Structures are given as structure tokens and as C-alpha cells.
Amino acid sequence: MSLILTEIKNRVGFITLNSEATLNSLNLSMIEALTTVIETWKTSEEVACIFIQGAGEKALCAGGDVRQLYDNIIAQRAIDPTQVPAGCFDFFAKEYALNYAIHTYPKPIIVWGHGIVMGGGIGVMVGASHRIVTERSKLAMPEITIGLFADVGATWFLNRMPSAYGVYLGLTGARLDAADCRFLGLADYYMESTEKQSVIDALVGMKWSDAIEKQVDELLATIAKKYVVAASQAAEHQAFISHFEGVTTLGEFRTVLNNYTPKDSWIEAGLQSFEKGSPSSAHIIFRQLKEGKDYTLAQVFQTELNLACQCCIHPDFAEGVRALLVDKDQSPKWQPATLEDVTDGWVDSYFTPLWTKENHVLKNLGKTE
């Protein structure tokens, strides 16, 4: 079974992430195949725009195949725990290069963000030019719960959210629905999922001109204007989120989160996720977002690759995956165990460069060929 299905109809390139049993989670083979397709179509006269969807009705993409990354880490630890597992390096380097390619693609990319869209799925969706969410869209960046960090370009898109929503979402992995995504700039259009075939039929029936992006804009806007998105929970919590705007340390963030009253279910869920998550992840996410505010898109993916590979050397990522997906005991033993136990030196070690700028595998991002 092919994990990526492709088809071209009337200059519309259709891509389906085809692993319904795993909620279309990305593995290395899928990333490589997806990269090959969009690179081929970039200069092809046969393709005017691209439409990306997930197989089935449950998910566009529930993230990356972290279980495979876990296996790579455990195997590498038996050989030399100080070295980045080759499989992990390949996965993250190629995933981030793909994310960058989507962000900078010269043709319209339409993403049908229906169902679960998490982690690596957000990486596929957020950089696209035309992002559609539905009544069943559920987005999140829950990496703190597995000892990772908000990646796939989150340094870029979280820092571009209003108020302090970016740091809050990065540190809590709060779940977002369609209304939240529209409010926070993660999606461009809301429509009911029953409109999917209408969108596809209209694209396939389009008489393409030279103004392809305008045609796609007008088509999707015409369909979306039939619908009014519901109230956003995130928007309704603006007063709460504003309390984090002046926060300069992780300790201050925690104090505000714990002391804020009254706490409703949305705030309580964020608090519980933060407190149960990896203390190391909390520290590196906070620093990542603070240091990366002014990074170029290329710098974002270059620095995130270093962080991702460092997470594969440090203990918490594998431990988080073990607790969630391997032993499934839901009781990760974080090292260090508390926020207070994490030293500045420990945080620095995550940010220690693994390569020089000259030999960084993503060094050519953003450079014209």
C-alpha cells in the first residue's frame, strides 16, 4: 500500500496522506515521498495548484511516527548515547525541509485540515497558502507531554499569534477547534465538511487563467461565506492570556497560571498539561520562543533541527514516548523531575550546536540557487 496517493485532474495535483490506521501520521518514507511530489510539481505545467488531504474522516495527520523515533533512540543508546540516531536525524531534517518548502511554495497549496491535526500535521498545514478547517478539526502542539518541544516551525507561527497565545499554546498543548484556528491565524477558511466534494469539483472544473491564486481565493471564499464559525474559546480567554504578556521567566509563567482565578475547564486543562509535562521541555520551549522571535523562517528550521536532535540525545523524549505509546503507563519519569531541578546549564545543553553553520544540513534554506 502506498502511503502517499497522488493524482492530477485539470491541473490540480491531489495528494492524500494514506495511512488511515495510524491517523495518517508521518514516517520518513511519507515525508520523502511527499517532498518528491511537491518538488516535481513545483515547475510542472501540468499542475496549477495542490490539494492535500488525509485518508478517511478522522485526521489530516496526527503527527509524526514518534514510536519509530523511539526505537531509533533506544538502538543508538546501546551503541553510543552521545550520538544522534541516524534515523532521527533523517526524519527531522527532511520533515523540516518539507515544511520550509510548503511555506515558500510558488503555487497555491490547499490543505483540507479536517479531523485531528497535530504536531507534524500542523507542519504540513500551517505553511500552506489556503488552509481549510471544518466542524471536526482539532489542532494541537502537545509536544511538552512527550518531552519534545513545539517544532515544525512553531518558533515562527506561535510567535506570530496575538497577545501571549503562542507561549501559552507551546507550554500547554491546548486543543484548538476551527474557530480557534481562524482567530489565531492557523487557518484561512471555515466550512462544513460536507463541502469537501464541492471544493474538489469546483477546482477540477476550473478554467485556469494566469491569476491562479486569485481564482483559488475567490472559489474558497465563495464557499466559506455560507458559514459562520462558532465562538472561539481561545478568543473568549483573551483577558486570561493577557496576563502572560509581561512574563519574562518560566517561573513567572507558572505563577500566573497557577494563581489565576477563576479557572474554567479550558484553563484547568492547560494547567494540568503544563504541570504533567516534561520540565525540560517547558524550559526549552520558553527559551525557544523567546530567542526565536526575530528569526527568519530559515533560521527557525535550522535551530529547531538542532533542538530536535538534542532531544534525541537527552532523556525525556524517549521517556515520554515510552510512557505514552510503548508501556502506556502514562507515568513518565522525567529527568530532571521538576521545573526547579532544571539548571541553566541543562537548558544550555539543549541549545548547544551539533554542527557548524557551514556543515548544517539545512544551511541552504532561503538561499537562491
Side-chain angles (χ1 to χ4, degrees):
M1 181 187 76
S2 176
L3 296 177
I4 297 287
L5 303 178
T6 63
E7 184 179 19
I8 300 173
K9 290 183 177 180
N10 184 37
R11 300 185 67 202
V12 182
F14 290 93
I15 299 174
T16 303
L17 307 181
N18 189 39
S19 182
E20 193 172 351
T22 66
L23 298 177
N24 304 315
S25 295
L26 297 174
N27 59 29
L28 181 58
S29 296
M30 292 171 74
I31 291 168
E32 290 173 337
L34 187 52
T35 299
T36 298
V37 173
I38 70 165
E39 285 300 313
T40 301
W41 287 354
K42 182 187 290 187
T43 55
S44 172
E45 290 295 323
E46 294 182 11
V47 175
C49 67
I50 294 175
F51 185 96
I52 300 177
Q53 61 187 338
E57 290 298 316
K58 293 182 179 179
L60 168 68
C61 172
D65 184 359
V66 294
R67 175 58 197 264
Q68 181 60 56
L69 297 176
Y70 169 86
D71 291 341
N72 291 335
I73 293 170
I74 298 305
Q76 182 62 44
R77 283 182 180 174
I79 303 169
D80 183 354
T82 68
Q83 297 299 309
V84 180
C88 296
F89 173 80
D90 286 346
F91 177 89
F92 286 117
K94 292 180 179 180
E95 181 183 30
Y96 297 170
L98 171 63
N99 298 153
Y100 183 85
I102 292 173
H103 273 272
T104 58
Y105 207 66
K107 298 178 180 180
I109 296 181
I110 305 156
V111 175
W112 186 256
H114 177 68
I116 298 169
V117 188
M118 292 188 182
I122 291 182
V124 170
M125 177 176 165
V126 74
S129 58
H130 298 78
R131 304 160 301 179
I132 303 169
V133 285
T134 75
E135 77 281 1
R136 287 174 56 188
S137 295
K138 295 295 179 186
L139 281 74
M141 293 293 292
E143 285 76 12
I144 191 171
T145 63
I146 56 168
L148 196 57
F149 68 100
D151 68 332
V152 295
T155 310
W156 179 267
F157 62 78
L158 291 181
N159 269 321
R160 279 155 182 77
M161 289 181 177
S163 185
Y165 281 98
V167 69
Y168 182 80
L169 296 180
L171 288 169
T172 64
R175 304 296 173 92
L176 306 173
D177 62 13
D180 299 327
C181 292
R182 291 285 288 116
F183 170 68
L184 294 170
L186 293 175
D188 306 296
Y189 307 94
Y190 168 77
M191 59 185 72
E192 296 293 323
S193 57
T194 52
E195 292 286 1
K196 182 180 182 181
Q197 194 58 49
S198 298
V199 172
I200 292 173
D201 290 345
L203 288 169
V204 173
M206 185 74 73
K207 184 177 181 180
W208 297 107
S209 68
D210 290 335
I212 296 169
E213 185 146 355
K214 182 181 178 183
Q215 289 181 281
V216 174
D217 289 344
E218 292 176 349
L219 163 63
L220 297 180
T222 298
I223 296 175
K225 73 180 181 181
K226 295 191 291 183
Y227 299 97
V228 177
V229 70
S232 160
Q233 278 203 85
E236 291 176 349
H237 285 83
Q238 282 181 288
F240 164 64
I241 295 296
S242 69
H243 285 79
F244 298 100
E245 290 179 5
V247 163
T248 59
T249 68
L250 185 62
E252 290 175 12
F253 177 91
R254 186 186 197 185
T255 298
V256 171
L257 182 56
N258 276 279
N259 293 345
Y260 185 86
T261 55
K263 289 183 176 66
D264 59 17
S265 59
W266 194 82
I267 296 173
E268 190 64 39
L271 172 62
Q272 293 302 316
S273 179
F274 173 75
E275 292 293 350
K276 291 179 180 179
S278 159
S280 295
S281 290
H283 278 275
I284 66 173
I285 291 167
F286 190 84
R287 178 166 162 181
Q288 161 207 2
L289 295 178
K290 185 176 180 181
E291 290 188 352
K293 280 185 177 180
D294 298 319
Y295 284 174
T296 65
L297 187 61
Q299 288 172 323
V300 161
F301 288 112
Q302 289 160 353
T303 55
E304 287 188 4
L305 178 59
N306 192 82
L307 264 181
C309 289
Q310 285 286 9
C311 285
C312 295
I313 300 173
H314 287 72
D316 276 7
F317 180 32
E319 173 60 13
V321 177
R322 179 206 64 76
L324 180 67
L325 298 176
V326 182
D327 298 333
K328 300 181 181 180
D329 57 27
Q330 313 302 319
S331 298
K333 304 298 187 290
W334 303 126
Q335 301 177 50
T338 70
L339 290 172
E340 293 78 12
D341 290 337
V342 179
T343 65
D344 290 343
W346 182 250
V347 178
D348 288 343
S349 69
Y350 275 91
F351 289 84
T352 301
L354 290 165
W355 318 277
T356 64
K357 289 183 179 179
E358 291 71 29
N359 64 10
H360 196 296
V361 68
L362 300 180
K363 66 181 179 181
N364 290 323
L365 291 186
K367 295 181 180 179
T368 56
E369 297 180 6

